DNA sequence: TATTGTTATACTCTATAACTATA
DNA sequence: TATAGTTATAGAGTATAACAATA
């Protein structure tokens, strides 16, 4: 960082602001999420949709309840999300023969195809976001982020944007 | 990461998932934002409140319109946010003598005091979040993040969480 | 007529709770 | 009685639009 503070005559909007890595992580993270949302919107999907498709692809046949638990959301929300994906023909609900209360979730062929398109979008997205860094720096960054993620016990592949919001007094 | 993939019998929720730096940035960023929100909630504030307090502290006397423009939100939202902060006695609205349509925004003494407490919270927050990294690694991370932020033209100190949401077809 | 701030309204998102069908 | 999924309802958050005061 070149100048640690610029009291009054600052060029920007004038936040005296936080300069730490924690703020940068939150700021860039939100920016990255917004960019990604724009990209997948071109495929008619929300980031939540993408997360669900990936979860189902990773473990076909799992129940909605299991999904809700893993994502940390309430079951009724999963219903709405899956409804949407089923309407688009990307996901199929199949009554379990073992326990007829369960719905086994599977990707349709079109769902799988969509997921590969998402992967291409994600690759382009990554390249755009990290344009400032050369390959060595990208590897370095990834390594540091993985250290943080592990220590903070973040579940690999699960974006915390699903979590149910805490009570506010 | 020890094992790059674990097809079916995985221990986690089983997302085949994204392993790139872009996803890690979004994931950790959201986590960081959530942790910070918890901390400032103890002071009776939301992250948006904190951002506003910082902006006002950085340029006392600015108008609500200016704030709305810089944050990228609609003026009516600034009204609600400032209402809240004024009720808590942290911010004062003063009719401008030059242009009586304007409200000049200032921090109250208590507002300034609250902001110093926020700074202490932020420092603790940063330390908790980056517990996995030693000082050299933290500096390295900060440097990489600043490169990204500059290239992506992110306004220093302004969290994108304010932006108005895009239309959804 | 244009602009600042405000109020009123509508819309979206998401959690809570009641309900059904299976077990 | 307990559980998976669904539906109905309500609450929070936020944008849009109409409005009052000032320029």
């Amino acid at each position: 960082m070149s100048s640690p503070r610029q009291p009054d005559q600052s060029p920007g909007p004038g936040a005296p602001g936080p300069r730490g890595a924690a703020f940068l992580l939150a700021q860039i993270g939100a920016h990255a999420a917004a960019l990604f949302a724009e990209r997948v919107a071109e495929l008619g999907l929300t980031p939540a949709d993408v997360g669900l498709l990936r979860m189902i692809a990773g473990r076909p046949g799992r129940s909605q309840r299991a999904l809700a638990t893993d994502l940390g959301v309430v079951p009724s929300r999963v219903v709405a999300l899956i409804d949407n994906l089923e309407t688009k023909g990307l996901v199929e609900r199949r009554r379990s023969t073992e326990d007829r209360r369960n719905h086994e979730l599977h990707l349709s062929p079109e769902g799988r195809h969509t997921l590969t398109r998402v992967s291409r979008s994600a690759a382009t997205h990554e390249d755009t976001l990290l344009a400032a860094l050369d390959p060595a720096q990208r590897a370095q960054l990834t390594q540091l982020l993985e250290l943080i993620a592990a220590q903070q016990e973040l579940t690999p592949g699960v974006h915390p944007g699903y979590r149910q919001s805490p009570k506010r007094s």
Side-chain angles (χ1 to χ4, degrees), chain A:
Chain A
M1 35 195 110
S2 48
S3 58
R5 61 203 160 109
Q6 52 222 82
D8 265 338
Q9 38 72 331
S10 66
R19 287 249 165 269
F23 181 82
L24 282 166
L25 281 169
Q27 185 188 31
I28 295 172
H31 175 67
L35 280 184
F36 184 71
E38 279 180 31
R39 281 196 189 273
V40 296
E42 296 167 5
L43 303 175
L45 299 173
T46 67
D49 290 335
V50 172
L52 245 61
L53 290 177
R54 281 178 169 148
M55 298 280 279
I56 296 170
R59 283 201 195 175
R62 75 183 357 180
S63 71
Q64 297 182 196
R65 163 64 72 174
L67 226 53
T69 302
D70 289 343
L71 294 174
V73 301
V74 82
S76 64
R77 188 171 172 200
V78 176
V79 173
L81 288 165
I82 298 291
D83 276 352
N84 185 25
L85 293 174
E86 196 176 34
T87 301
K88 289 177 182 160
L90 306 179
V91 167
E92 296 170 7
R93 282 179 168 107
R94 300 182 198 156
R95 276 282 171 207
S96 168
T97 52
E98 293 181 353
D99 183 337
R100 293 181 40 78
R101 290 174 301 184
N102 285 4
H103 273 154
E104 296 176 352
L105 300 175
H106 297 269
L107 291 192
S108 70
E110 192 181 339
R112 272 186 289 276
H113 179 238
T114 297
L115 205 45
T116 68
R117 293 205 293 170
V118 167
S119 294
R120 278 197 289 271
S121 282
T124 311
H125 164 63
E126 170 129 348
D127 212 55
T128 304
L129 184 71
L130 303 183
L133 307 185
D134 63 38
Q137 288 173 315
R138 293 184 192 193
Q140 208 173 41
L141 175 65
T142 304
Q143 187 199 340
L144 293 170
L145 294 177
E146 278 173 349
L147 286 172
I148 295 173
Q151 191 272 330
Q152 295 285 310
E153 300 183 345
L154 297 180
T155 308
V158 178
H159 193 287
Y162 297 95
R163 263 207 313 320
Q164 47 208 54
S165 60
K167 306 270 181 195
R168 182 165 302 159
S169 63

